[in-house]
Amino acid sequence: MRRELYTLIALTVVLAATPVTSAVSVAVETLNPSPHAIDIPPWFKETFLDFREDVREAAAAGKRLMVYFGQDGCPYCRELMRVNFSQKELADKTRRHFNAVAINIWGDREVTWMDGKVMTEKAFAAFLKVQFTPTLLFFDEKGRVALRVNGYYPPHQLHAALDYVAGRHESRTAFADYLRKNTREAASGRLNDQPFFLKPPLNLDRKPGLATRPLAVLFEQKQCAACDELHRTGFKEPSVQSLITRFDVARLELFGAEELVTPLGKPTTAELWARELKVAYTPTLVFFDSNGREAFRVETYLRPFHLASSLEYVASGAYRSEPSFQRFVQARAERIRAAGGRADLW
């Protein structure tokens, strides 16, 4: 019979005891990256991290298992906890349909995977190729991944992700289609252009001699607030503007009918290729190497520092020798600060 570990995170107690001086100070604080551990809601479960048991326990309660991957000092994790899970409706929905467990991607606690293999938290995160925090993994009753959310989703999109998994839609509907149908947001209603976008018709074939630079493919939608923000702020950042010149950049509409040739030389349409790549979130950036193989992707909300970091990660070739994007980001931030610059994570 399994036992739950009813322990409290000391930092949560300390933070809860910290006096709040004004509504203004709280609003300002939430915009700054967290310098310390991210406080996990008390309704997250403390378990032995044997996911076979965690899946069984969730199923016995008529729920599914949600595993959160985070790290200290992560501003996107902070947003998830203090913006998303501070909303009663969203928190109640998560608690009603899921048992939530937290993993520290640099942690040393032992984790037991579905096949019985035991490893540390950090080895587990590397095994699952967790490149962004937060990452959420949702498991079905048989221990299969029903949905993976790589990075931060704002509340309305997280609502849709929870509904998708809680409603067992993964066997009937692609998440991209579900997200499109079940989310609404205020946006410009148009695709924003950039002078560095390749002009159609798009031949993205990476055969030798056809391209000299790595390829970045941007998937967007017209009704997409994060896409508008990317063009309004992300592409205006000087470091991003400098790095983007090292790429061939193609922009495609996620459900568009535009015809193109893929990096592997295959004729297709934007929508069909997006489905093949399993792109659901917009904006998504997919990077390809000189052989037409996917090298890296960004399928989450990013602020300018992390956008520039992803471009440098690929343009420099660092992804070949450093498999962890998070370690690359940390090293890049340290280099910038050592040179007297500012690494504004948020």
Side-chain angles (χ1 to χ4, degrees):
M1 192 67 124
R2 71 175 286 126
R3 299 185 290 115
E4 284 194 351
L5 304 173
Y6 293 98
T7 59
L8 293 176
I9 300 174
L11 180 61
T12 304
V13 176
V14 173
L15 291 175
T18 302
V20 177
T21 57
S22 70
V24 173
S25 67
V26 172
V28 170
E29 183 188 14
T30 59
L31 295 176
N32 295 327
S34 173
H36 304 298
I38 308 301
D39 42 325
I40 305 300
W43 45 266
F44 269 59
K45 290 184 174 292
E46 288 289 333
T47 76
F48 288 111
L49 301 181
D50 184 331
F51 288 119
R52 301 166 301 179
E53 294 183 6
D54 291 339
V55 165
R56 285 195 293 267
E57 180 180 294
K63 300 181 181 183
R64 287 180 151 185
L65 178 66
M66 182 188 83
V67 180
Y68 155 80
F69 292 82
Q71 63 177 317
D72 299 353
C74 164
Y76 304 93
C77 303
R78 183 183 178 119
E79 290 295 293
L80 176 67
M81 298 301 167
R82 296 197 177 186
V83 175
N84 295 38
F85 287 143
S86 69
Q87 297 183 11
K88 186 177 186 304
E89 182 184 0
L90 202 157
D92 287 349
K93 179 183 291 186
T94 308
R95 298 178 68 180
R96 185 165 58 250
H97 296 292
F98 301 94
N99 282 354
V101 174
I103 293 290
N104 179 347
I105 68 167
W106 308 119
D108 292 313
R109 292 182 300 169
E110 283 193 347
V111 174
T112 304
W113 184 229
M114 301 301 177
D115 60 1
K117 184 178 180 180
V118 178
M119 62 196 95
T120 63
E121 290 172 284
K122 58 176 173 279
F124 181 55
F127 168 70
L128 292 178
K129 295 181 170 60
V130 173
Q131 296 284 36
F132 294 92
T133 54
T135 284
L136 298 176
L137 259 62
F138 298 90
F139 293 91
D140 70 10
E141 293 74 12
K142 294 184 178 180
R144 298 171 301 200
V145 177
L147 180 66
R148 176 169 173 157
V149 174
N150 296 310
Y152 174 73
Y153 275 22
H156 69 289
Q157 290 175 324
L158 184 56
H159 266 294
L162 295 174
D163 290 338
Y164 179 78
V165 182
R168 276 68 174 170
H169 292 282
E170 71 273 5
S171 62
R172 306 189 299 272
T173 307
F175 182 54
D177 295 315
Y178 189 88
L179 202 59
R180 181 190 191 189
K181 181 180 179 181
N182 292 280
T183 57
R184 298 289 182 271
E185 57 190 31
S188 66
R190 63 184 176 86
L191 296 177
N192 300 277
D193 289 321
Q194 292 293 339
F196 49 77
F197 287 161
L198 296 173
K199 306 301 180 186
L202 294 176
N203 183 352
L204 307 180
D205 198 333
R206 300 283 103 181
K207 285 189 179 72
L210 294 181
T212 58
R213 299 187 292 186
L215 173 68
V217 180
L218 173 64
F219 288 92
E220 297 189 283
Q221 294 183 87
K222 292 177 181 176
Q223 207 64 33
C224 171
C227 301
D228 291 339
E229 182 179 334
L230 173 67
H231 289 269
R232 188 173 60 249
T233 60
F235 286 147
K236 297 290 179 64
E237 176 70 22
S239 59
V240 171
Q241 290 182 335
S242 174
L243 286 161
I244 205 75
T245 61
R246 299 169 66 178
F247 292 86
D248 290 330
V249 185
R251 192 272 303 284
L252 294 169
E253 189 170 4
L254 183 60
F255 296 98
E258 181 178 354
E259 296 182 348
L260 68 135
V261 177
T262 72
L264 293 177
K266 176 184 175 182
T268 188
T269 66
E271 179 176 5
L272 290 176
W273 193 33
R275 291 186 185 280
E276 182 182 332
L277 293 172
K278 293 182 169 56
V279 176
Y281 175 88
T282 54
T284 282
L285 264 173
V286 186
F287 298 93
F288 296 88
D289 64 19
S290 58
N291 295 316
R293 305 292 180 181
E294 182 175 333
F296 185 63
R297 74 166 61 187
V298 175
E299 49 189 349
T300 181
Y301 174 79
L302 286 187
R303 300 286 292 170
F305 176 82
H306 286 86
L307 175 60
S309 297
S310 67
L311 293 170
E312 186 174 328
Y313 186 56
V314 178
S316 67
Y319 70 92
R320 299 188 190 97
S321 57
E322 175 51 83
S324 170
F325 177 62
Q326 291 301 319
R327 288 194 185 280
F328 176 83
V329 169
Q330 291 175 1
R332 180 172 183 263
E334 290 170 3
R335 287 199 311 271
I336 291 172
R337 291 170 182 141
R342 180 182 178 186
D344 189 355
L345 303 184
W346 190 258

